[in-house]
Amino acid sequence: MNDPTELPRSVINYDGVYSLLKNLDNDPVLENSAFKNLSLVKVCRRNNPLFSNSQAIRRVFTDVLNNLAAGSEKHQLYAYILKGRFWDNYSIVKMTTSGRLDQMAPRTFSNEQKKAITSFCETLTALEQQCIKDNPELDMIQSDDSTRDNSDVRTLQNTSGSDTKTIDHKGRNRLFIAIFSLLVIFSLINWFITRSTNLDKENLSVASLPATSTPEKGIGQQASTPELLTGNICKEKAAYPVNVADNQFIRSQGIIIFNKDTTPGIINNKVRTLQSVTKGVWLGYFGTEKDPSSGVGFYDRENKRLLDCSQTGITEGENINDIEIDRKGTVWIGMEKGGIASYNGSVWRLYKTEDGLPSNWIYGLYVDNQNNIWAATYKGIARFDGARWNLVYSVENNSLINDRTHIITMDSSSNIWVGYIENGVSVFHPSTGKWEHFTRESGDLSGNKIRNIVVQPGSSTSEDTIWIATLDNGISQFRSGKWTSFTEKNGLPSNEIRDIALDKYDRLWAATDKGVYIYTNGRWSQYDRVDTVYLTFGVDCKGKEGYCLNDEEVFTGTSNLGITHSRIPLPDEGLDVLRVCFITTEDHEVCPDLVRDEALNTVIVNYPQPLKPGDKFFMKAVVSPHNPYKLLESRGDMLIHVDADSSYLYGAFERIPVAGSIESGQEFAFIDTNNPFVAPVPEGSTRQTYFSTWRVWMQTRLIGPNIRVSFTVEKE
């Protein structure tokens, strides 16, 4: 090795370590294993000349296990799991039906075993790095017996030539080296025991380790191989190239989906929280009964990569509830049971109850204008003073009505809004020093289970508007001292609101179990039909140089489909649908009157007379883009079919591209003369009406109204 700190990456990785652990008693496998080239193994053999490669490897692995057992409570559990499975050869059934793991579900055990092996890799890596630094001469030591250097053995003959004596001229040196090496190893063990006890405070460098599992091949694309990195964004262990395949584009909703089936690098299909920054999006995963995987990721949009940012002993295996970025660029991560993690671009840190938090159950984080970090916890509201967390508001100090808080934010007047998990909202007014409390029972809120509070800033002549998302009964709005409720009764698809957010045009978005809806001009309109739990938009790129994820982009975290990506709707329709015509195969053209349904954002056009089964016709949709927009062939703008069921195409092709460049105010006719609609045979009746819905796709977003084509078919 040219660099004394460089590790044999092909050896110390999850798959390699796991394979060797399963063969600890198999001497032939160990003898020929690449692990014999580890510096730790070389030192072990140097200090134990009679050891074979297999014996030395077993000794090193046992030392690593003992280091884990001497560490934190979590690492002691990992050591217990590994010893039982690979040293004692216990089955998973035996491990989960006796001893300290009694009653643990086998699926949970398998997940914990993966974490244990990963932690073993990291411990082995740290010991190997230290050993290389302390023993730079080890490159001269060969592991294979046949290649040992015997130049230190000299054969001397006596003067009579009758005896041959073999004298080791370096015996004293060997003894000195052996004693010195033992001292180094004892020092190393003491150092690592101390290091292990602090693993909850800082993370080990694991940049040389690949991902802990191999991603499956995605549908419609080749499986991606993770790249080994140096941790230049989040100390990531691996990165996966993102290649969007056609099956990820949901035409009917105008969104792209990234999940575990289509996109290697997604840790879990439930993404509980997201946070956009200039170069991409931080991802907070949340384990489920079906898939317990969790942790932190980052979508590096600039380089089209998904990064695994989970840190052992800090965020790995933790359910993530919230991610916020402070004004210095530090990332703050609130975890379900694991406290709060922070990353300032070079160092990860972990804060728990011993650091002043009232609880390790963190639900919401907030960064105020003075860059103070606030946390909504299961036992009140805490604030970070730069070194420790301090309990600020709780039932005990007569500020809150319940300690189980979910969200905290501030409005333009510095009023502090606190949302409870199940008990409504409290507001602290610093101008009076008094608290107000609002609940569903008091007649103010629509629901009590608060999931988010969003402040819509007022103007010089108006106050802020406060929007409150509730999980049990819609959305509440507080404006000018008056409460207003929005539920299924006035346009929402569901009363189960998981998140709300404001886009750059000040439109309110609502994430529900039945899709995402947007509130604009006093009306709710559907954006998609995906079960959604979180919303985030890109950042304001004004004045920023280089790549910037702009605020036209929207990402959502879903409950079972990973993340979605699209562009927000334009502030207006973007174009006019002027007319829709039908052309027969005999070139007869008819353009019926359009029926406009403003509530559904749809224009409807009916074929003027009944068709016979097998009759064919073409559709021609004439549109004109608004100022300042234009349609471009080079950008991939087109008219696309947006029904969820492709059978509603009736023989037509799903997309009709723009030709050339269509400027604002110009007309363009979408028509495909190669793929006509074909009238189907009615089923179960002699007469049936059919529909097909289309919409214009411009600059990677759907614009304008839906175009719904209707035609009736009669049997002979």
Side-chain angles (χ1 to χ4, degrees):
M1 290 179 286
N2 296 325
D3 182 353
T5 64
E6 183 181 354
L7 295 179
R9 294 180 177 179
S10 61
V11 177
I12 305 180
N13 59 52
Y14 182 93
D15 292 335
V17 168
Y18 182 36
S19 176
L20 193 136
L21 285 171
K22 292 189 294 184
N23 288 280
L24 273 180
D25 296 328
N26 191 331
D27 284 350
V29 171
L30 267 60
E31 283 296 323
N32 297 310
S33 167
F35 282 89
K36 67 184 179 182
N37 295 317
L38 291 181
S39 295
L40 289 167
V41 174
K42 292 179 182 180
V43 168
C44 183
R45 290 203 61 185
R46 185 176 64 185
N47 297 334
N48 299 274
L50 298 180
F51 270 20
S52 63
N53 286 331
S54 59
Q55 289 173 306
I57 291 172
R58 268 194 294 270
R59 171 67 64 83
V60 168
F61 270 50
T62 301
D63 288 343
V64 174
L65 182 74
N66 291 335
N67 272 292
L68 275 178
S72 65
E73 183 177 349
K74 180 178 289 186
H75 290 87
Q76 291 172 18
L77 173 63
Y78 291 163
Y80 179 85
I81 290 173
L82 294 175
K83 183 178 184 299
R85 290 285 286 127
F86 303 111
W87 272 261
D88 299 332
N89 294 315
Y90 290 161
S91 66
I92 292 179
V93 173
K94 183 171 182 177
M95 292 290 292
T96 56
T97 55
S98 61
R100 64 188 291 187
L101 302 182
D102 187 23
Q103 305 302 318
M104 178 180 282
R107 180 180 298 168
T108 302
F109 178 86
S110 296
N111 191 48
E112 291 299 311
Q113 178 176 293
K114 290 179 182 178
K115 296 177 185 177
I117 295 172
T118 300
S119 186
F120 189 95
C121 289
E122 292 161 1
T123 304
L124 178 58
T125 298
L127 285 169
E128 177 70 2
Q129 287 175 328
Q130 189 64 34
C131 187
I132 292 172
K133 292 178 181 178
D134 292 341
N135 300 274
E137 78 284 358
L138 287 176
D139 277 344
M140 302 299 296
I141 300 177
Q142 301 295 325
S143 297
D144 195 325
D145 290 337
S146 64
T147 59
R148 286 187 181 177
D149 184 2
N150 293 317
S151 61
D152 58 321
V153 179
R154 300 291 185 265
T155 302
L156 300 179
Q157 290 184 334
N158 63 11
T159 55
S160 64
S162 59
D163 292 329
T164 300
K165 296 182 180 179
T166 302
I167 303 175
D168 186 350
H169 290 289
K170 295 186 179 180
R172 292 181 180 178
N173 289 342
R174 282 182 171 176
L175 178 61
F176 173 78
I177 291 173
I179 294 172
F180 177 76
S181 298
L182 286 173
L183 291 174
V184 168
I185 290 175
F186 283 128
S187 298
L188 181 60
I189 291 173
N190 288 331
W191 169 85
F192 199 80
I193 289 173
T194 302
R195 176 72 164 169
S196 297
T197 60
N198 292 321
L199 279 176
D200 283 341
K201 297 294 183 183
E202 56 180 319
N203 62 306
L204 293 172
S205 174
V206 292
S208 61
L209 296 177
T212 58
S213 61
T214 302
E216 296 182 357
K217 186 174 181 179
I219 301 173
Q221 67 179 69
Q222 294 183 345
S224 300
T225 302
E227 304 169 5
L228 295 176
L229 302 168
T230 57
N232 59 334
I233 290 183
C234 61
K235 291 193 175 181
E236 58 269 21
K237 292 183 286 189
Y240 299 81
V242 174
N243 301 304
V244 179
D246 188 63
N247 65 307
Q248 293 174 251
F249 178 47
I250 310 301
R251 285 195 320 276
S252 61
Q253 302 176 61
I255 59 176
I256 297 172
I257 288 180
F258 302 95
N259 59 36
K260 292 186 74 170
D261 295 327
T262 64
T263 313
I266 293 290
I267 295 175
N268 193 303
N269 282 339
K270 183 171 184 178
V271 181
R272 174 67 181 82
T273 185
L274 305 163
Q275 187 60 247
S276 297
V277 292
T278 302
K279 303 299 183 183
V281 184
W282 287 89
L283 313 172
Y285 298 99
F286 202 98
T288 63
E289 183 176 350
K290 182 178 180 180
D291 182 0
S293 304
S294 55
V296 177
F298 184 79
Y299 178 26
D300 178 6
R301 182 75 190 289
E302 180 180 19
N303 298 300
K304 303 295 187 294
R305 305 179 304 165
L306 274 167
L307 311 182
D308 180 2
C309 298
S310 297
Q311 306 294 308
T312 301
I314 298 181
T315 58
E316 186 177 65
E318 299 290 347
N319 287 330
I320 311 302
N321 277 329
D322 199 12
I323 301 175
E324 295 292 334
I325 314 296
D326 72 17
R327 299 178 186 279
K328 295 181 180 179
T330 298
V331 183
W332 296 86
I333 299 170
M335 295 173 280
E336 180 89 348
K337 300 178 183 179
I340 296 174
S342 71
Y343 180 63
N344 64 4
S346 59
V347 177
W348 281 91
R349 292 200 62 186
L350 179 65
Y351 303 92
K352 305 188 82 170
T353 51
E354 53 264 39
D355 302 293
L357 283 171
S359 170
N360 288 330
W361 292 64
I362 312 300
Y363 291 96
L365 298 170
Y366 175 69
V367 181
D368 67 22
N369 290 332
Q370 283 72 46
N371 207 38
N372 294 310
I373 317 301
W374 300 71
T377 83
Y378 199 70
K379 293 184 178 180
I381 299 294
R383 185 174 60 201
F384 188 59
D385 65 9
R388 287 184 58 81
W389 290 87
N390 300 284
L391 180 64
V392 181
Y393 303 124
S394 67
V395 172
E396 186 176 355
N397 61 25
N398 298 316
S399 52
L400 304 180
I401 60 173
N402 192 291
D403 282 334
R404 299 175 183 179
T405 61
H406 197 280
I407 187 75
I408 177 172
T409 192
M410 294 183 186
D411 62 24
S412 300
S413 300
S414 298
N415 297 313
I416 299 173
W417 293 74
V418 176
Y420 299 101
I421 293 176
E422 294 183 325
N423 295 90
V425 170
S426 290
V427 185
F428 177 68
H429 302 280
S431 59
T432 63
K434 295 182 179 180
W435 285 85
E436 281 188 285
H437 307 289
F438 304 100
T439 64
R440 184 175 184 177
E441 289 72 23
S442 67
D444 303 307
L445 296 175
S446 60
N448 283 330
K449 297 181 179 180
I450 310 304
R451 290 301 175 263
N452 200 5
I453 302 175
V454 170
V455 177
Q456 186 172 15
S459 64
S460 58
T461 59
S462 64
E463 298 178 353
D464 295 345
T465 298
I466 311 299
W467 297 91
I468 299 174
T470 77
L471 192 66
D472 52 336
N473 198 35
I475 297 173
S476 292
Q477 179 201 71
F478 183 73
R479 175 186 289 171
S480 302
K482 179 183 177 182
W483 288 96
T484 303
S485 295
F486 297 88
T487 64
E488 293 176 2
K489 295 179 180 179
N490 44 16
L492 282 171
S494 169
N495 287 333
E496 187 175 320
I497 312 300
R498 277 80 170 278
D499 191 29
I500 52 177
L502 290 167
D503 68 15
K504 64 180 293 185
Y505 301 115
D506 235 16
R507 298 173 296 197
L508 185 74
W509 293 53
T512 82
D513 60 322
K514 294 182 180 178
V516 175
Y517 272 59
I518 304 174
Y519 186 70
T520 181
N521 298 325
R523 182 170 62 88
W524 291 98
S525 59
Q526 184 185 74
Y527 183 72
D528 67 35
R529 297 185 293 277
V530 178
D531 185 350
T532 304
V533 295
Y534 204 86
L535 301 156
T536 191
F537 303 101
V539 302
D540 185 355
C541 292
K542 293 177 182 177
K544 291 183 171 63
E545 297 181 356
Y547 180 84
C548 182
L549 180 68
N550 68 58
D551 49 12
E552 292 282 326
E553 314 280 342
V554 57
F555 291 84
T556 74
T558 75
S559 63
N560 54 21
L561 286 176
I563 63 174
T564 77
H565 172 227
S566 54
R567 291 170 67 85
I568 65 175
L570 296 171
D572 59 26
E573 288 290 352
L575 58 73
D576 292 321
V577 177
L578 303 178
R579 56 190 178 276
V580 178
C581 305
F582 299 104
I583 303 173
T584 67
T585 52
E586 291 79 24
D587 289 333
H588 175 68
E589 180 174 330
V590 58
C591 302
D593 291 338
L594 299 177
V595 178
R596 300 183 184 273
D597 188 328
E598 299 296 338
L600 296 177
N601 188 32
T602 300
V603 297
I604 303 170
V605 58
N606 302 305
Y607 199 94
Q609 67 268 345
L611 298 168
K612 301 298 181 183
D615 284 351
K616 299 178 181 180
F617 66 89
F618 301 99
M619 173 190 67
K620 181 173 76 172
V622 182
V623 303
S624 178
H626 294 173
N627 186 39
Y629 313 119
K630 55 185 176 182
L631 298 171
L632 297 175
E633 179 181 9
S634 60
R635 193 169 54 199
D637 296 347
M638 55 188 167
L639 181 69
I640 62 173
H641 178 247
V642 294
D643 287 313
D645 191 341
S646 60
S647 66
Y648 290 177
L649 283 165
Y650 306 110
F653 189 60
E654 63 189 21
R655 61 191 76 176
I656 306 173
V658 167
S661 175
I662 313 303
E663 301 294 328
S664 302
Q666 290 184 334
E667 293 187 8
F668 178 77
F670 287 102
I671 184 171
D672 179 3
T673 57
N674 295 317
N675 299 281
F677 285 80
V678 180
V681 178
E683 297 180 2
S685 65
T686 59
R687 181 186 177 98
Q688 190 168 341
T689 299
Y690 301 90
F691 301 92
S692 185
T693 311
W694 299 72
R695 199 173 180 191
V696 173
W697 177 261
M698 183 193 78
Q699 200 175 2
T700 65
R701 74 182 114 203
L702 294 171
I703 69 165
N706 295 302
I707 301 171
R708 178 167 294 178
V709 176
S710 167
F711 59 94
T712 300
V713 181
E714 290 182 347
K715 290 182 180 179
E716 295 286 349

